[in-house]
Each structure stands twice: as structure tokens, then as C-alpha cells.
Amino acid sequence: MELLQLLVGGVAQGCVYGLIALGFVLIYKATEMVNFAQGDLMMLGSFVALTFIGTMGMNYWLGLLVAALAMAVFGYLLDAIVLRRIIGQPQFAVVILTISIGFLFRSAAGFIWGHETQNFPETPFTNRVIDAGGVILSLEHLSIIAGTLILAGLLYLFFNFTRLGNAMQAASQNQLAAYYMGVPVKHINSLIWALSAIVATIAGVLFAPVSLVDPSNGFYGIKAFAAAVIGGFGSLIGTVLGGLIIGVSETMAARYLPPGFKEIVAYLIMLGVLIVRPHGLFSTLQRKKV
Amino acid sequence: MRILFKTSYLDDIRLFQHSGQVFWYGLLTVGLLLAPFVLGDFYVGELSYVFVLAIAGVGLMLLIGYTGLVSLGHGAFMAIGAYTNTYLITKGVPFLIAFPAAGLAALLAGVLIAVPANRMTGIYLAIATLAFSQIVEQLVIRWESVTRGFQGMPVPAPELFGHALARPWEFYYFCLAVLILVVLAAINLTRSPTGRAMVAIRDSEISAQSLGVNLVQYKTIAFALSAGITGLGGALLGHKMRFISPDAFNILLSIQLLLMVVVGGLGSIHGAILGAIFVGGLPQAIALMRDYLPPTIARTPGLEPGLFGVVMVSVVLFEPLGIYGRWLKIKAFFDYFPIYRRATFKRQRSYLKTERVR
């Protein structure tokens, strides 16, 4: 019974990693950039939602919607103003640029909202539990799991069955060719950043009651990386699975292994996976041909 | 404008290309040797901090700038160096043995991480090194019998032939000596076949491989040397701070090292050193600026990382070649005075073509 209880907690935790990682993967799938600031985008999202819901007293769902929209605009502009400039430069430049953007976000959030950890206001899921045959499921955890499943499903449908989704994939496979075929690559790139910011905001808001809101929450992004890598960047389902693997093993490590393992088990698994399969479990890469 | 006539193959790999370089670097050396006589203890200490950073920066530059392998976890090698050095000294090992041993320990760690890293490229490598640094950080926290965990360890002053280098200027000269040795070693490395193989790997793995460069071998060498040098830097950093604890070697240190090589200018030893001056000097500049800023901004705790962020973003956007790249441009402008063209330094853009199947 205890095991099952832990499992649910682990799955919920894993879903958060999966959600943040989904944001990475979206951007990666469309632009082959890796956004090291994704965790910080989530942190910003939860702060914005906190402002709308807590400070301005909006309804939870309305607040979530407004925060997601605000962050979408922010994400779009971030790409249009900053990241678009380095299209065509080596991938390394993107890594450094997004890392530094993350730093900037963190200190901006600390400046605007203060460096203290803040409580998230009451949500429809607060303090409610379902007793399923002896296993206590908190609605907060269930909401995270449900949110992840719905988002992952929607994104999967979006990428495979809509015109825009296909255009995004085309832009990622060959920017120049897609451009020649009339895909508005720049616009698409910015849209994908907007989408990714929305996903990050939803992740942040769902996670906020559990994690509390703090400028350093962006560091969850590092673990989400491990999730994305395990899943093999570029695979939506693999990413969510990767998140689950990490979330569950982390909770188990916290309970059954000596202290310290909780923090590193994600990385150990990731390094293990990378050694066996250098491009992740659900890899979509192939060896470069000359 | 100076025109170099090369009359022998050795001209290409000479340490100094022309007498001008001998003069200016000689002047710099003399200036640095005289500095402690002119500057106060505080600035001598700050300068030795810059030297320590520069040593680690040269190490990272060999990996990122010369071999093209991105590491986001070089703080871990500094931690390994610092803790090995301190542990050995507290066990009674003389500094002259403990210090190289620290470099050696970091070097071995570098070989260890190179084994999985050799199979990865680009972004996977960056994330794997990040993971490695997190693992090392936890190891430092939990392995209390050696590292004393969060309590940290005091670091005694380094001792040379029975004489403790306790005063700032003594430590200054020692750091300067190590830095000069490391820089010379790095320059020699880049002039050697090994260094050229590394540059070839950076420019194109596939071309390098087809020219007979053994990728695994040279990447491992690059990792090992880079980690070893960074480890030496870490050992000295421990001495500089007089006290080491796990939070001194967290991810921020790794990012700082990365910032150093990027801001300085990738692909040159000059870049590592200019970057070190920048990173070492920025906190001082902020401290000076604090007096002129409104107190609400000046007292914000996150000011320094935020400024680092701003600087890095602007460097990547506006001067991808870094400080040294800007210097080269200015020099070229005056060298070719009326006919300088901006396109000289323009880089070929490469548009994305994925290697993914779907």
C-alpha cells in the first residue's frame, strides 16, 4: 500500500518533469534549439498566475487562462526580438543564450516578486483527496497527471494532424527548404515559443500548490532535461515517459536509498541511458551521412 | 601594418610570430612582476583571483574553444581539484605533491567522463556534463569523511620548501607562475599535432575522421587535459578562498567558467584570459557601481547573476567572437586602414537540416 502511495506521488512528480520537458521538446522539434530557460519560463508562468489569481483575485481558471495568454505573448516576443537574431549560428550559441536568458528571468523575478518563497492561493484542488481503496490520492497530484495527459495528447494531435503542426515539423527538418516551400519559418518559430510558454505556464500553475512559488524553481528544468534526454529529444510520448521514469525513481530513491540519492538518481539514469543509447530511448536521430 | 615573410615551415609554429609580440608580452610580464610593489594587498589579491580563474578558463577553452565540446560542468573538476588538494594537505602531504595530485585527480575524472561523452555530441554532451557536475556536487556534500559535507574545510596556505605563502603577494607570484606555465603548455599543445587534431575535430568531426584523426583518442585527451588544468585552477581557488564548501562549486561556478570563455572569445587563449579579467572584475565593478545606483536596485540580491545574464545575452547577440574577437577587428581596421571591410569577419550562416528521421 505504501508502495502504491509512493508511486502516485512519483507519477505526479514525474508528470511535472514531463510537462517542463514537453516545452523543451516542442521547441526542439520545431527549431532544433534547446531552450535551457524552460524551467525559468515555468517559474515566470507561475509567478504571473500568482499575480492574477492571488493578488488580483481572479477566478482560478480565468487566471490560468490569462496567465497562459500573457506568457504566450511573452514567448512569442522573446523569440521575435531575441532568439530570431541567432538563427543560422551554431547550436552552441543557442545554449549560451538561453542559459543567460534563464539567469535574467531569475533575477528579474526576484526583483519583481521578491526572493522569498510564496504560497500559491487556494485552487479547486487544494486539500481535497480521493480515497481509492486505501490509497489516498490528493487532487493536486491527480490534476497534474490529468493535465499532463491531456496536454501531451493535444500536442500529439496538433503535430500530426494539423497544417500548422506539419509546417512546424517541416521547418525543423530543413529550414531553408521549408522557407522555399512557402512556410513562414520565422513566424512559425515564434509561434512555437508561444506554445512552449503556454505549456510551461500550465506546468507551473499545476505544480505551484505542491512546490510553492520561488524564483529558483527554474532549477527543476535541469531535471526535466534528464527526462527529455531519456525520452530522446523530439519524441513527445518518450518525453512524458522519461519524466515518469525520473519522477518515480526519485520518489523511490528518497524512501529506500541513503540520503543524497534523491538528488542524483535522475542524472544517474540519464547517464546510463546515454551510455547505452547515446540519443535516448525513443531516439529519432540517425547517424549523419556525408 | 606588418607583413610576415615565412621562410621556413617552423615559422608557422613559432611561439612568437614577430618581435612586436616579444616586446609587448615582455612588457606585460614585467608589469605583472612589478604589480605587487605598486598595488595594495586588496588589488594583489584580486589579481591572483583573476589568475586562478584564467587557469581554469584556459582549461575550459581547450575543450570548448579548441575541440568544440561544450561542457556545462567544469565547476565539478574545480571541486575535485580543490578537495583533493586540501584533503592531501590536511593529511600531511606536502603542497608540491598535493597540487599536481589535484590536477591528476581531475584529469582522471576527465578521462572517466570522456568515456560516455565520446559517444555524445552537441546538446547531449552539454547536458551529460551538467549531470556529471550535479553528481559530483552531491558526492562532495555526502562524502563527509573526506569533504566534511556542508561544514566545509579550511584550506591552509600553500607551503613551498617549508615556507608558507601566507602573504597576498607571495600567493600572487605563485599563481602568476602557474598561469604562465599553463598558458605556455596550452600554446604548445595547440601548436602540436594533438592540438591541430583537436581543432580539426572542432571544425568538422567527419572531415577530421576521414583524415585519420582518431576521434575517441583525441576527445579523451582533450577532456583529460582540460579537466586536469581546471583541477589545478580549483586547487588554487581553494587556497584563494581559504575555505571550501560544496556551495562554492555549484552550477553557478560552471556557468561562470562558460561565461568567461564566451565573453573572452572562443578559440583563443587570449579569450580565456580576457574573460577571466572580465568575470573577476565584474563584481568589483558592480561594487563600485552600487554607490551610484538607487538603493532599491543596488541592494537586490540577484543583481550579479542578472548582470551576468545581460552581458552574456548581449555578447552572443552582438559580438559572438567575444572581447578578443572585437580586439582583432579593431586591429584589422587600423592595419588595413582605408580598405577594411566588415565582411572580413563575417561568418557563414548554416541553416538547420535535421538528422532526425521523423
Side-chain angles (χ1 to χ4, degrees):
Chain A
M1 218 26 83
E2 189 202 358
L3 196 68
L4 214 59
Q5 189 78 54
L6 278 177
L7 206 61
V8 175
V11 168
Q13 182 72 39
C15 281
V16 173
Y17 294 144
L19 269 183
I20 306 174
L22 270 183
F24 291 132
V25 170
L26 278 179
I27 292 179
Y28 185 79
K29 254 176 110 70
T31 63
E32 214 138 292
M33 288 179 178
V34 177
N35 176 17
F36 275 78
Q38 192 70 29
D40 300 288
L41 219 50
M42 174 193 92
M43 176 271 295
L44 275 190
S46 54
F47 267 115
V48 171
L50 180 72
T51 310
F52 283 132
I53 300 171
T55 317
M56 297 165 81
M58 276 189 197
N59 168 288
Y60 177 76
W61 297 106
L62 184 66
L64 176 59
L65 187 72
V66 176
L69 285 179
M71 286 300 290
V73 172
F74 182 72
Y76 188 97
L77 292 178
L78 185 67
D79 181 73
I81 295 172
V82 180
L83 285 139
R84 187 177 291 173
R85 291 165 176 269
I86 59 161
I87 287 184
Q89 282 193 26
Q91 209 178 25
F92 179 60
V94 182
V95 173
I96 296 167
L97 187 60
T98 50
I99 287 180
S100 18
I101 288 175
F103 268 72
L104 217 56
F105 284 178
R106 209 166 306 144
S107 82
F111 188 64
I112 300 173
W113 288 287
H115 286 270
E116 295 84 30
T117 308
Q118 300 187 29
N119 277 314
F120 202 75
E122 205 161 286
T123 69
F125 311 114
T126 315
N127 294 331
R128 289 166 110 189
V129 291
I130 297 174
D131 191 337
V135 183
I136 311 291
L137 304 173
S138 86
L139 265 187
E140 281 167 357
H141 284 166
L142 287 181
S143 71
I144 294 174
I145 298 173
T148 309
L149 289 179
I150 295 171
L151 263 182
L154 283 178
L155 288 173
Y156 179 81
L157 293 177
F158 173 73
F159 267 105
N160 285 302
F161 297 105
T162 65
R163 219 175 129 79
L164 190 58
N166 279 331
M168 283 175 178
Q169 294 215 33
S172 94
Q173 278 169 11
N174 191 333
Q175 272 177 352
L176 217 50
Y179 189 70
Y180 291 150
M181 299 311 290
V183 175
V185 174
K186 288 179 180 171
H187 183 61
I188 292 247
N189 280 359
S190 302
L191 275 184
I192 204 90
W193 275 81
L195 192 61
S196 171
I198 294 177
V199 173
T201 309
I202 295 177
V205 173
L206 285 176
F207 193 37
V210 186
S211 71
L212 307 181
V213 188
D214 187 285
S216 63
N217 271 3
F219 284 115
Y220 283 105
I222 303 179
K223 290 219 174 108
F225 260 128
V229 169
I230 289 174
F233 265 95
S235 155
L236 291 175
I237 295 161
T239 305
V240 176
L241 269 178
L244 291 183
I245 292 174
I246 284 178
V248 170
S249 45
E250 219 177 63
T251 340
M252 295 296 162
R255 175 74 184 76
Y256 297 109
L257 289 176
F261 272 94
K262 177 181 180 285
E263 281 81 7
I264 58 171
V265 71
Y267 307 118
L268 290 177
I269 294 177
M270 185 191 92
L271 285 179
V273 168
L274 280 180
I275 288 169
V276 184
R277 287 183 61 94
H279 295 297
L281 285 181
F282 301 86
S283 167
T284 49
L285 275 170
Q286 61 183 7
R287 200 158 167 73
K288 196 172 191 170
K289 292 195 187 77
V290 187
Chain B
M1 182 178 168
R2 188 190 300 268
I3 295 165
L4 292 176
F5 288 109
K6 290 177 181 166
T7 49
S8 109
Y9 287 114
L10 285 176
D11 284 349
D12 254 344
I13 55 168
R14 274 195 311 197
L15 194 55
F16 295 105
Q17 293 294 322
H18 50 79
S19 54
Q21 287 187 341
V22 178
F23 174 74
W24 287 113
Y25 288 115
L27 200 66
L28 180 67
T29 317
V30 171
L32 287 175
L33 284 175
L34 293 179
F37 295 102
V38 186
L39 299 174
D41 272 359
F42 174 75
Y43 285 103
V44 169
E46 286 303 306
L47 265 181
S48 33
Y49 178 58
V50 169
F51 293 162
V52 171
L53 285 180
I55 293 167
V58 170
L60 186 59
M61 187 61 89
L62 284 180
L63 194 67
I64 298 188
Y66 283 96
T67 323
L69 302 171
V70 182
S71 166
L72 296 180
H74 254 53
F77 295 121
M78 288 192 97
I80 292 171
Y83 274 96
T84 314
N85 183 43
T86 313
Y87 180 74
L88 289 178
I89 289 179
T90 49
K91 287 288 169 223
V93 178
F95 173 71
L96 269 185
I97 298 175
F99 183 56
L104 199 65
L107 188 139
L108 291 178
V111 174
L112 195 73
I113 187 76
V115 173
N118 278 331
R119 308 186 43 170
M120 301 166 206
T121 47
I123 199 66
Y124 288 92
L125 181 65
I127 298 169
T129 48
L130 187 68
F132 169 73
S133 78
Q134 300 284 316
I135 292 171
V136 169
E137 195 184 331
Q138 283 300 318
L139 203 67
V140 169
I141 293 174
R142 306 289 167 181
W143 196 3
E144 289 180 358
S145 58
V146 172
T147 65
R148 296 199 211 155
F150 278 120
Q151 278 189 325
M153 291 161 109
V155 186
E159 212 170 278
L160 282 183
F161 310 111
H163 175 75
L165 305 177
R167 272 167 293 188
W169 63 267
E170 292 169 325
F171 186 63
Y172 170 90
Y173 281 124
F174 183 71
C175 289
L176 181 61
V178 175
L179 176 63
I180 289 176
L181 285 180
V182 162
V183 167
L184 283 179
I187 294 174
N188 274 330
L189 179 74
T190 53
R191 296 189 297 160
S192 72
T194 312
R196 286 164 186 248
M198 280 159 53
V199 172
I201 291 175
R202 174 192 72 188
D203 290 342
S204 163
E205 274 192 18
I206 292 170
S207 325
Q209 203 173 15
S210 47
L211 286 171
V213 173
N214 185 339
L215 290 187
V216 173
Q217 187 191 338
Y218 283 104
K219 280 186 181 176
T220 312
I221 292 177
F223 252 109
L225 290 177
S226 163
I229 294 176
T230 312
L232 291 181
L236 286 179
L237 186 65
H239 285 299
K240 176 76 189 78
M241 297 191 299
R242 300 282 171 87
F243 187 82
I244 50 176
S245 61
D247 38 315
F249 298 98
N250 58 12
I251 184 167
L252 291 182
L253 181 66
S254 302
I255 307 269
Q256 241 180 19
L257 289 176
L258 186 69
L259 172 81
M260 243 162 66
V261 294
V262 173
V263 169
L266 284 172
S268 63
I269 303 289
H270 291 94
I273 292 169
L274 291 173
I277 295 171
F278 179 81
V279 169
L282 191 60
Q284 295 309 319
I286 293 175
L288 287 178
M289 254 165 44
R290 281 227 159 98
D291 301 337
Y292 300 102
L293 285 173
T296 43
I297 296 177
R299 299 275 162 254
T300 317
L303 186 62
E304 202 173 302
L307 266 183
F308 272 145
V310 173
V311 169
M312 273 225 269
V313 169
S314 19
V315 167
V316 173
L317 288 185
F318 303 115
E319 187 51 276
L321 299 174
I323 301 175
Y324 187 59
R326 174 56 64 184
W327 161 244
L328 286 183
K329 283 178 190 173
I330 293 173
K331 210 168 80 163
F333 178 80
F334 286 108
D335 271 355
Y336 302 99
F337 171 58
I339 52 164
Y340 174 76
R341 283 180 298 171
R342 298 186 68 172
T344 315
F345 289 92
K346 200 157 190 176
R347 290 200 291 188
Q348 179 77 42
R349 287 186 169 224
S350 62
Y351 291 95
L352 173 73
K353 258 192 208 158
T354 189
E355 292 164 37
R356 282 182 287 138
V357 191
R358 282 179 284 122

